[in-house]
Coordinates of all heavy atoms in Angstrom, one line a residue:
M2 N 82.3 128.9 449.0 CA 83.7 129.3 448.8 C 84.5 128.5 449.9 O 84.2 128.6 451.1 CB 84.0 130.8 448.9 CG 85.5 130.9 448.6 SD 86.0 132.6 449.1 CE 85.8 133.6 447.8
Q3 N 85.6 127.8 449.4 CA 86.3 126.9 450.4 C 87.3 127.9 451.1 O 87.9 128.9 450.5 CB 87.2 126.0 449.5 CG 87.8 125.0 450.4 CD 88.5 123.9 449.6 OE1 88.7 124.1 448.4 NE2 88.8 122.8 450.2
Q4 N 87.5 127.6 452.3 CA 88.5 128.5 453.2 C 90.0 128.1 452.8 O 90.3 127.0 452.3 CB 88.3 128.1 454.7 CG 87.0 128.4 455.2 CD 87.0 129.8 455.9 OE1 88.1 130.3 456.2 NE2 85.8 130.4 456.0
L5 N 90.8 129.1 453.0 CA 92.2 128.8 452.7 C 92.7 128.0 453.9 O 92.2 127.9 454.9 CB 93.0 130.1 452.9 CG 92.9 131.0 451.6 CD1 93.4 132.4 451.9 CD2 93.6 130.4 450.4
P6 N 93.7 127.1 453.5 CA 94.2 126.1 454.6 C 95.1 126.7 455.7 O 96.2 126.3 455.7 CB 94.9 125.1 453.7 CG 95.4 125.9 452.5 CD 94.4 127.0 452.3
F7 N 94.6 127.6 456.4 CA 95.2 127.9 457.7 C 94.2 128.1 458.8 O 93.0 128.4 458.5 CB 96.2 129.1 457.5 CG 95.5 130.4 457.1 CD1 94.8 131.1 458.0 CD2 95.7 130.9 455.8 CE1 94.1 132.2 457.7 CE2 95.0 132.1 455.5 CZ 94.3 132.8 456.4
R8 N 94.6 127.9 460.0 CA 93.8 128.2 461.2 C 94.1 129.4 461.8 O 95.4 129.6 461.9 CB 93.8 127.0 462.1 CG 93.4 125.5 461.5 CD 93.4 124.5 462.6 NE 94.8 124.4 462.8 CZ 95.1 123.4 463.7 NH1 94.3 122.8 464.5 NH2 96.5 123.2 464.0
H9 N 93.3 130.2 462.1 CA 93.6 131.5 462.7 C 93.7 131.5 464.3 O 92.8 131.0 464.9 CB 92.6 132.6 462.4 CG 92.8 133.9 462.9 ND1 92.0 134.4 464.0 CD2 93.7 134.8 462.7 CE1 92.4 135.6 464.3 NE2 93.4 135.9 463.5
Y10 N 94.7 131.9 464.9 CA 94.8 132.1 466.3 C 95.0 133.4 466.6 O 96.1 134.0 466.3 CB 96.1 131.1 466.8 CG 95.9 129.7 466.6 CD1 96.4 129.1 465.4 CD2 95.3 129.0 467.6 CE1 96.1 127.7 465.3 CE2 95.1 127.6 467.5 CZ 95.4 127.0 466.4 OH 95.4 125.7 466.2
Q11 N 94.1 134.0 467.4 CA 94.3 135.4 467.9 C 94.8 135.3 469.2 O 94.2 134.7 470.1 CB 93.1 136.2 467.8 CG 93.2 137.6 468.3 CD 93.0 138.6 467.2 OE1 92.4 138.4 466.2 NE2 93.3 139.8 467.5
V12 N 95.9 136.0 469.6 CA 96.4 136.0 471.0 C 95.4 136.8 471.8 O 95.2 137.9 471.5 CB 97.8 136.6 471.1 CG1 98.3 136.8 472.4 CG2 98.8 135.8 470.1
S13 N 94.9 136.1 472.8 CA 93.9 136.7 473.7 C 94.6 137.5 474.7 O 94.9 137.1 475.9 CB 93.1 135.7 474.4 OG 92.2 136.2 475.3
T14 N 94.9 138.9 474.4 CA 95.7 139.8 475.3 C 95.2 141.3 475.1 O 95.0 141.5 473.9 CB 97.1 139.6 475.2 OG1 97.8 140.4 476.1 CG2 97.6 139.9 473.8
R15 N 95.3 142.0 476.0 CA 95.0 143.5 475.8 C 96.4 144.2 475.6 O 96.3 145.3 475.0 CB 94.5 144.0 477.0 CG 93.1 143.6 477.4 CD 92.6 144.2 478.7 NE 91.4 143.5 479.3 CZ 90.2 143.9 479.0 NH1 90.0 144.9 478.2 NH2 89.2 143.2 479.4
Q16 N 97.5 143.5 475.9 CA 98.8 144.2 475.6 C 99.1 144.2 474.1 O 99.9 145.1 473.5 CB 99.9 143.5 476.3 CG 99.9 143.6 477.8 CD 98.9 142.7 478.4 OE1 98.4 141.8 477.9 NE2 98.9 142.8 479.8
Y17 N 98.7 143.3 473.2 CA 99.1 143.2 471.9 C 97.8 143.0 470.9 O 97.8 142.0 470.2 CB 100.1 142.0 471.7 CG 101.4 142.2 472.6 CD1 101.5 141.4 473.7 CD2 102.4 143.1 472.2 CE1 102.6 141.5 474.4 CE2 103.4 143.3 473.0 CZ 103.6 142.5 474.1 OH 104.7 142.6 474.9
P18 N 97.0 143.9 470.9 CA 95.7 143.7 470.0 C 96.0 143.8 468.6 O 95.3 143.4 467.8 CB 94.8 144.7 470.5 CG 95.6 145.9 471.0 CD 96.9 145.1 471.5
M19 N 97.2 144.2 468.1 CA 97.6 144.4 466.8 C 98.3 143.2 466.2 O 98.8 143.2 465.2 CB 98.4 145.7 466.6 CG 99.9 145.6 467.1 SD 100.1 145.4 468.9 CE 99.8 147.0 469.5
L20 N 98.5 142.1 467.0 CA 99.1 140.9 466.6 C 98.2 139.8 466.2 O 97.3 139.5 467.1 CB 100.0 140.4 467.8 CG 100.7 139.2 467.7 CD1 101.8 139.3 466.5 CD2 101.5 138.7 469.0
I21 N 98.3 139.3 465.1 CA 97.5 138.2 464.6 C 98.5 137.0 464.3 O 99.4 137.2 463.6 CB 96.7 138.6 463.4 CG1 95.7 139.7 463.6 CG2 96.0 137.4 462.8 CD1 95.1 140.3 462.4
T22 N 98.1 135.9 464.8 CA 99.0 134.7 464.6 C 98.2 133.7 463.8 O 97.1 133.4 464.0 CB 99.5 134.0 465.8 OG1 100.2 135.0 466.7 CG2 100.2 132.9 465.7
L23 N 98.8 133.2 462.6 CA 98.1 132.2 461.7 C 98.9 131.0 461.8 O 100.1 131.0 461.8 CB 98.0 132.8 460.3 CG 97.4 134.1 460.1 CD1 97.5 134.5 458.6 CD2 95.8 134.0 460.4
Q24 N 98.3 129.8 461.8 CA 99.0 128.6 461.6 C 98.7 128.1 460.2 O 97.6 128.0 459.7 CB 98.5 127.5 462.6 CG 99.2 126.3 462.5 CD 98.8 125.2 463.5 OE1 97.6 125.2 463.8 NE2 99.8 124.4 463.9
L25 N 99.9 127.9 459.4 CA 99.7 127.8 458.0 C 99.8 126.2 457.7 O 100.5 125.5 458.5 CB 100.9 128.4 457.2 CG 101.0 130.0 457.4 CD1 102.2 130.4 456.7 CD2 99.7 130.6 457.0
S26 N 99.3 125.8 456.6 CA 99.5 124.4 456.1 C 100.8 124.5 455.3 O 101.3 125.5 454.9 CB 98.3 124.0 455.3 OG 98.3 124.7 454.0
K27 N 101.2 123.4 455.0 CA 102.5 123.2 454.1 C 102.3 123.8 452.7 O 103.2 124.4 452.2 CB 102.9 121.8 453.9 CG 103.2 121.0 455.2 CD 104.5 121.6 455.8 CE 104.9 120.8 457.1 NZ 105.9 121.5 457.8
D28 N 101.1 123.9 452.2 CA 100.7 124.6 451.0 C 101.0 126.0 450.9 O 101.2 126.6 449.8 CB 99.2 124.3 450.6 CG 98.9 122.9 450.4 OD1 99.8 122.1 450.1 OD2 97.6 122.6 450.4
L29 N 101.0 126.6 452.1 CA 101.3 128.1 452.2 C 102.7 128.4 452.8 O 102.8 129.5 453.3 CB 100.2 128.7 453.2 CG 98.8 128.5 452.7 CD1 97.8 129.1 453.7 CD2 98.6 129.3 451.3
A30 N 103.7 127.6 452.5 CA 105.0 127.7 453.1 C 105.6 129.0 452.7 O 106.4 129.6 453.4 CB 105.8 126.5 452.6
N31 N 105.3 129.5 451.4 CA 106.0 130.7 451.0 C 105.1 132.0 451.2 O 105.5 133.1 450.8 CB 106.1 130.6 449.4 CG 107.2 129.6 449.0 OD1 108.2 129.4 449.7 ND2 106.9 128.9 448.0
L32 N 104.1 131.8 452.0 CA 103.3 133.1 452.3 C 104.0 134.2 453.0 O 103.9 135.3 452.7 CB 102.0 132.7 453.1 CG 101.1 133.9 453.4 CD1 100.5 134.4 452.2 CD2 99.9 133.3 454.3
Q33 N 104.9 133.8 454.0 CA 105.6 134.8 454.8 C 106.4 135.7 453.8 O 106.4 136.9 453.8 CB 106.4 134.1 455.8 CG 107.4 135.1 456.6 CD 108.7 134.6 457.2 OE1 108.9 133.4 457.1 NE2 109.3 135.4 457.9
R34 N 107.2 135.0 452.9 CA 108.1 135.7 452.0 C 107.3 136.6 451.1 O 107.6 137.8 450.8 CB 108.9 134.7 451.2 CG 109.9 135.3 450.2 CD 110.6 134.4 449.4 NE 109.6 133.5 448.8 CZ 109.8 132.7 447.8 NH1 111.1 132.4 447.4 NH2 108.7 132.1 447.2
D35 N 106.2 136.1 450.5 CA 105.3 136.8 449.7 C 104.7 138.1 450.3 O 104.7 139.2 449.8 CB 104.2 135.9 449.1 CG 104.8 135.0 448.0 OD1 105.8 135.1 447.6 OD2 104.0 134.0 447.8
L36 N 104.3 138.0 451.6 CA 103.7 139.0 452.4 C 104.8 140.1 452.6 O 104.6 141.3 452.5 CB 103.2 138.6 453.7 CG 101.8 137.8 453.5 CD1 101.3 137.2 454.8 CD2 100.8 138.6 452.9
N37 N 106.1 139.6 453.0 CA 107.2 140.5 453.2 C 107.4 141.3 452.0 O 107.6 142.6 452.0 CB 108.4 139.8 453.6 CG 108.3 139.4 455.2 OD1 107.8 140.1 455.9 ND2 109.0 138.3 455.5
L38 N 107.4 140.7 450.8 CA 107.7 141.3 449.5 C 106.6 142.4 449.1 O 106.9 143.3 448.4 CB 107.9 140.3 448.4 CG 109.1 139.4 448.4 CD1 109.1 138.3 447.4 CD2 110.4 140.3 448.2
N39 N 105.5 142.2 449.7 CA 104.4 143.1 449.5 C 104.1 144.1 450.5 O 103.1 144.8 450.7 CB 103.1 142.2 449.2 CG 103.0 141.8 447.8 OD1 102.7 142.4 446.9 ND2 103.4 140.5 447.7
G40 N 105.1 144.3 451.3 CA 105.2 145.4 452.4 C 104.6 145.1 453.7 O 104.4 145.9 454.6
F41 N 104.2 143.8 453.9 CA 103.7 143.4 455.3 C 104.8 143.0 456.2 O 105.9 142.3 455.8 CB 102.8 142.3 455.1 CG 101.5 142.6 454.6 CD1 101.2 142.6 453.1 CD2 100.4 143.1 455.4 CE1 100.0 143.0 452.7 CE2 99.1 143.4 454.8 CZ 99.0 143.4 453.5
Y42 N 104.8 143.4 457.5 CA 105.9 142.9 458.4 C 105.3 141.7 459.0 O 104.3 141.6 459.8 CB 106.0 143.9 459.4 CG 107.1 143.5 460.5 CD1 108.5 143.4 460.1 CD2 106.8 143.2 461.8 CE1 109.4 142.9 461.0 CE2 107.8 142.8 462.6 CZ 109.1 142.7 462.3 OH 110.0 142.2 463.1
V43 N 106.0 140.6 458.6 CA 105.5 139.2 459.1 C 106.7 138.6 459.7 O 107.8 138.5 459.3 CB 105.1 138.4 457.9 CG1 104.6 137.0 458.3 CG2 104.0 139.1 457.1
H44 N 106.3 138.0 461.0 CA 107.5 137.3 461.7 C 107.1 135.9 461.7 O 106.0 135.4 462.1 CB 107.5 137.9 463.1 CG 108.5 137.2 464.0 ND1 109.8 137.3 463.7 CD2 108.3 136.4 465.1 CE1 110.4 136.5 464.6 NE2 109.7 136.0 465.5
A45 N 108.1 135.0 461.3 CA 107.9 133.6 461.4 C 109.3 132.9 461.5 O 109.3 131.6 461.3 CB 107.2 133.0 460.2
D46 N 110.3 133.5 461.9 CA 111.6 133.0 461.9 C 112.1 132.3 463.1 O 113.1 131.7 463.1 CB 112.6 134.1 461.4 CG 112.4 134.5 460.0 OD1 112.0 133.8 459.2 OD2 112.7 135.7 459.8
S47 N 111.4 132.5 464.2 CA 111.9 131.9 465.5 C 111.7 130.4 465.3 O 110.8 129.9 464.6 CB 111.2 132.4 466.6 OG 109.9 132.1 466.7
Q48 N 112.4 129.6 466.1 CA 112.2 128.2 466.2 C 110.8 127.8 466.7 O 110.1 126.9 466.1 CB 113.2 127.5 467.1 CG 114.6 127.5 466.5 CD 115.6 126.8 467.4 OE1 115.2 126.3 468.4 NE2 116.8 126.5 466.9
Y49 N 110.3 128.7 467.6 CA 109.0 128.3 468.2 C 107.9 128.5 467.0 O 107.0 127.7 466.9 CB 108.6 129.3 469.3 CG 107.2 129.2 469.8 CD1 106.9 128.3 470.8 CD2 106.2 130.1 469.3 CE1 105.6 128.2 471.3 CE2 105.0 130.1 469.7 CZ 104.6 129.1 470.8 OH 103.4 129.0 471.2
L50 N 108.0 129.6 466.2 CA 107.0 129.7 465.2 C 107.2 128.7 464.1 O 106.2 128.2 463.6 CB 107.1 131.1 464.6 CG 106.7 132.3 465.6 CD1 107.0 133.6 465.1 CD2 105.3 132.2 466.1
R51 N 108.4 128.4 463.6 CA 108.7 127.5 462.4 C 108.2 126.1 462.9 O 107.6 125.5 462.0 CB 110.1 127.5 462.2 CG 110.5 128.7 461.3 CD 111.9 128.4 460.8 NE 112.7 129.2 461.6 CZ 114.0 128.9 462.1 NH1 114.6 127.8 461.6 NH2 114.7 129.6 463.0
R52 N 108.4 125.6 464.1 CA 108.0 124.3 464.6 C 106.4 124.2 464.4 O 106.0 123.0 464.2 CB 108.4 123.9 465.9 CG 109.8 123.5 466.0 CD 110.2 122.8 467.3 NE 109.7 123.6 468.5 CZ 110.5 124.4 469.2 NH1 111.7 124.6 468.9 NH2 110.0 125.1 470.2
R53 N 105.7 125.2 464.6 CA 104.3 125.2 464.6 C 103.6 125.7 463.3 O 102.4 125.7 463.3 CB 103.8 126.0 465.9 CG 104.1 125.3 467.1 CD 104.0 126.3 468.3 NE 104.3 125.7 469.6 CZ 105.5 125.4 470.0 NH1 106.6 125.7 469.3 NH2 105.7 124.9 471.1
N54 N 104.5 126.0 462.4 CA 104.0 126.6 461.1 C 103.1 127.9 461.4 O 102.2 128.2 460.8 CB 103.1 125.6 460.3 CG 103.9 124.5 459.8 OD1 105.2 124.6 459.4 ND2 103.4 123.3 459.8
F55 N 103.6 128.7 462.3 CA 102.9 130.0 462.6 C 103.5 131.1 462.0 O 104.8 131.0 461.7 CB 103.0 130.3 464.2 CG 102.1 129.5 465.1 CD1 102.2 129.5 466.5 CD2 101.2 128.6 464.6 CE1 101.5 128.8 467.3 CE2 100.4 127.9 465.4 CZ 100.4 128.0 466.8
V56 N 102.8 132.1 461.6 CA 103.4 133.3 461.1 C 102.6 134.4 462.0 O 101.4 134.2 462.2 CB 103.2 133.7 459.7 CG1 104.0 132.7 458.8 CG2 101.8 133.7 459.2
Q57 N 103.3 135.5 462.2 CA 102.6 136.6 463.0 C 102.5 137.9 462.1 O 103.6 138.3 461.5 CB 103.3 136.9 464.3 CG 103.2 135.7 465.2 CD 103.8 135.9 466.5 OE1 104.9 136.6 466.6 NE2 103.3 135.4 467.6
L58 N 101.4 138.5 462.0 CA 101.1 139.7 461.2 C 101.0 140.9 462.2 O 100.2 140.6 463.3 CB 99.9 139.6 460.4 CG 99.9 138.5 459.3 CD1 98.5 138.1 459.0 CD2 100.6 139.1 458.1
F59 N 101.6 141.9 462.1 CA 101.4 143.1 462.9 C 100.6 144.1 462.1 O 100.9 144.6 461.0 CB 102.8 143.6 463.3 CG 103.6 142.7 464.0 CD1 104.4 141.9 463.4 CD2 103.5 142.6 465.4 CE1 105.2 141.0 464.1 CE2 104.1 141.6 466.1 CZ 105.0 140.8 465.5
V60 N 99.3 144.5 462.7 CA 98.5 145.4 461.9 C 98.4 146.7 462.6 O 97.5 147.1 463.2 CB 97.1 144.7 461.9 CG1 97.1 143.6 461.0 CG2 96.6 144.2 463.1
I61 N 99.6 147.5 462.4 CA 99.7 148.8 463.0 C 100.0 149.8 461.9 O 100.4 151.0 462.1 CB 100.8 148.9 464.1 CG1 102.1 148.3 463.4 CG2 100.5 148.0 465.3 CD1 103.2 148.4 464.5
Q62 N 99.7 149.5 460.6 CA 100.0 150.4 459.5 C 99.0 151.5 459.6 O 97.9 151.3 459.9 CB 100.0 149.6 458.2 CG 101.0 148.6 458.1 CD 100.8 147.7 456.8 OE1 101.2 146.6 456.9 NE2 100.4 148.2 455.7
P63 N 99.5 152.7 459.1 CA 98.6 153.9 459.1 C 97.4 153.7 458.0 O 96.4 154.1 458.2 CB 99.5 155.0 458.6 CG 100.7 154.5 458.2 CD 100.9 153.1 458.8
D64 N 97.7 153.0 456.9 CA 96.8 152.8 455.9 C 96.2 151.4 456.0 O 96.2 150.6 455.1 CB 97.3 152.9 454.5 CG 97.9 154.4 454.4 OD1 97.2 155.3 454.8 OD2 99.0 154.6 453.6
F65 N 95.6 151.1 457.2 CA 95.2 149.8 457.5 C 94.2 149.3 456.4 O 94.2 148.0 456.1 CB 94.5 149.8 458.9 CG 94.0 148.5 459.4 CD1 94.9 147.4 459.7 CD2 92.7 148.1 459.3 CE1 94.4 146.2 460.2 CE2 92.1 146.9 459.7 CZ 93.1 145.9 460.2
D66 N 93.1 150.1 456.0 CA 92.1 149.6 455.1 C 92.8 149.1 453.8 O 92.4 148.2 453.2 CB 91.1 150.6 454.7 CG 90.2 150.9 456.0 OD1 90.1 150.0 456.9 OD2 89.7 152.1 456.2
I67 N 93.8 149.9 453.3 CA 94.5 149.5 452.0 C 95.2 148.2 452.3 O 95.3 147.3 451.4 CB 95.3 150.7 451.6 CG1 94.5 151.9 451.2 CG2 96.3 150.2 450.4 CD1 95.4 153.1 451.1
A68 N 95.9 148.1 453.5 CA 96.7 146.8 453.7 C 95.9 145.7 453.8 O 96.2 144.6 453.3 CB 97.5 147.1 455.0
I69 N 94.6 145.8 454.4 CA 93.8 144.6 454.5 C 93.2 144.3 453.1 O 93.1 143.0 452.8 CB 92.5 145.0 455.4 CG1 93.1 144.9 456.8 CG2 91.4 143.9 455.3 CD1 93.5 143.7 457.4
D70 N 92.9 145.2 452.2 CA 92.6 144.9 450.9 C 93.6 144.1 450.1 O 93.4 143.2 449.4 CB 92.2 146.1 450.1 CG 90.8 146.7 450.5 OD1 90.0 146.0 451.2 OD2 90.5 147.9 450.2
Q71 N 94.9 144.6 450.2 CA 96.0 144.1 449.7 C 96.3 142.5 450.2 O 96.5 141.7 449.4 CB 97.2 144.8 450.0 CG 98.5 144.3 449.2 CD 99.8 145.2 449.3 OE1 99.8 146.1 450.2 NE2 100.7 144.9 448.7
L72 N 96.0 142.4 451.6 CA 96.2 141.1 452.1 C 95.1 140.1 451.5 O 95.4 139.0 451.1 CB 96.0 141.0 453.5 CG 96.1 139.8 454.4 CD1 97.4 139.1 454.1 CD2 95.8 140.0 455.9
H73 N 93.9 140.6 451.4 CA 92.8 139.7 450.8 C 93.2 139.4 449.4 O 93.0 138.2 448.9 CB 91.5 140.5 450.8 CG 90.9 140.4 452.2 ND1 90.1 139.4 452.6 CD2 90.9 141.3 453.2 CE1 89.6 139.6 453.8 NE2 90.1 140.8 454.1
N74 N 93.8 140.2 448.6 CA 94.2 140.0 447.2 C 95.2 138.9 447.2 O 95.2 138.0 446.3 CB 94.7 141.2 446.5 CG 93.6 142.2 446.2 OD1 92.4 141.9 446.1 ND2 94.0 143.5 446.1
I75 N 96.2 139.0 448.1 CA 97.2 138.0 448.1 C 96.8 136.7 448.5 O 97.1 135.6 447.8 CB 98.4 138.5 449.0 CG1 99.1 139.8 448.5 CG2 99.4 137.3 449.3 CD1 100.0 140.4 449.4
L76 N 95.9 136.6 449.5 CA 95.3 135.4 449.9 C 94.4 134.9 448.8 O 94.3 133.5 448.7 CB 94.5 135.5 451.2 CG 95.4 135.9 452.4 CD1 94.6 136.1 453.6 CD2 96.5 134.9 452.7
G77 N 93.7 135.6 448.1 CA 92.8 135.2 447.0 C 93.8 134.6 445.8 O 93.3 133.6 445.3
Y78 N 94.9 135.2 445.7 CA 95.8 134.5 444.7 C 96.2 133.2 445.1 O 96.3 132.2 444.3 CB 97.0 135.4 444.5 CG 98.2 134.9 443.7 CD1 98.0 134.8 442.3 CD2 99.3 134.3 444.3 CE1 99.0 134.2 441.5 CE2 100.3 133.9 443.4 CZ 100.2 133.8 442.2 OH 101.2 133.3 441.4
Y79 N 96.5 133.0 446.3 CA 96.9 131.7 446.9 C 95.8 130.6 446.7 O 96.1 129.5 446.4 CB 97.5 131.8 448.4 CG 98.8 131.9 448.6 CD1 99.4 133.2 448.4 CD2 99.6 130.9 448.9 CE1 100.8 133.4 448.5 CE2 101.1 131.0 449.0 CZ 101.6 132.3 448.9 OH 103.0 132.4 449.0
K80 N 94.6 131.1 447.1 CA 93.4 130.3 447.0 C 93.3 129.8 445.4 O 93.0 128.6 445.3 CB 92.2 130.9 447.4 CG 90.9 130.0 447.3 CD 89.8 130.5 448.0 CE 88.5 129.8 447.9 NZ 88.6 128.4 447.3
Q81 N 93.5 130.7 444.5 CA 93.3 130.3 443.1 C 94.4 129.2 442.7 O 94.1 128.3 442.0 CB 93.6 131.5 442.1 CG 92.5 132.5 442.2 CD 92.7 133.7 441.3 OE1 93.7 133.7 440.6 NE2 91.9 134.7 441.4
I82 N 95.6 129.4 443.2 CA 96.6 128.4 442.8 C 96.3 127.1 443.5 O 96.4 126.0 442.9 CB 98.0 129.0 443.3 CG1 98.3 130.0 442.3 CG2 99.0 127.8 443.3 CD1 99.6 130.7 442.8
L83 N 95.9 127.1 444.8 CA 95.6 125.8 445.6 C 94.4 125.1 444.9 O 94.3 123.9 445.0 CB 95.4 126.1 447.0 CG 96.6 126.6 447.7 CD1 96.2 127.1 449.2 CD2 97.7 125.6 447.8
D84 N 93.4 125.9 444.4 CA 92.2 125.2 443.8 C 92.5 124.7 442.5 O 91.7 123.9 441.9 CB 91.1 126.3 443.8 CG 90.5 126.5 445.2 OD1 90.7 125.8 446.1 OD2 89.7 127.6 445.2
A85 N 93.6 125.2 441.8 CA 93.8 124.7 440.4 C 94.3 123.2 440.4 O 94.6 122.6 441.2 CB 94.9 125.6 439.8

């Protein structure tokens, strides 16, 4: 199975273990909006993040397992479209 076109950068810090930073390809330009519409708090609006095609996910939801399943479903949908 081919990987989705983003590189994962985890901030190496003890202060923010719930922060995940992803670098997106141009193919995933709408991912931030789609994740926001599906209940994920995603930050990508700062100039710093936009210049680097970074989005940041905050994984502090009480229903973490459900949120991760939902995230996998959304990413799977993107993979289907990119593979088509």
Side-chain angles (χ1 to χ4, degrees):
M2 180 198 270
Q3 190 179 17
Q4 295 267 343
L5 283 166
F7 61 74
R8 293 183 296 173
H9 176 257
Y10 291 90
Q11 180 118 15
V12 177
S13 178
T14 178
R15 293 179 195 266
Q16 290 86 1
Y17 303 103
M19 74 295 285
L20 176 66
I21 298 171
T22 303
L23 303 172
Q24 185 176 32
L25 304 179
S26 70
K27 297 292 182 193
D28 295 339
L29 297 176
N31 294 321
L32 182 61
Q33 175 201 3
R34 184 184 55 171
D35 292 341
L36 290 173
N37 282 329
L38 289 171
N39 282 281
F41 288 90
Y42 181 69
V43 181
H44 179 61
D46 294 328
S47 73
Q48 286 184 357
Y49 174 84
L50 295 173
R51 278 188 269 145
R52 278 195 311 265
R53 291 161 179 79
N54 295 323
F55 284 174
V56 297
Q57 293 180 323
L58 299 151
F59 299 93
V60 288
I61 56 174
Q62 296 176 212
D64 299 322
F65 181 77
D66 292 335
I67 294 168
I69 289 296
D70 288 341
Q71 186 178 10
L72 177 61
H73 283 276
N74 289 337
I75 293 167
L76 294 177
Y78 172 75
Y79 266 81
K80 180 167 177 13
Q81 287 176 7
I82 290 177
L83 293 174
D84 287 347

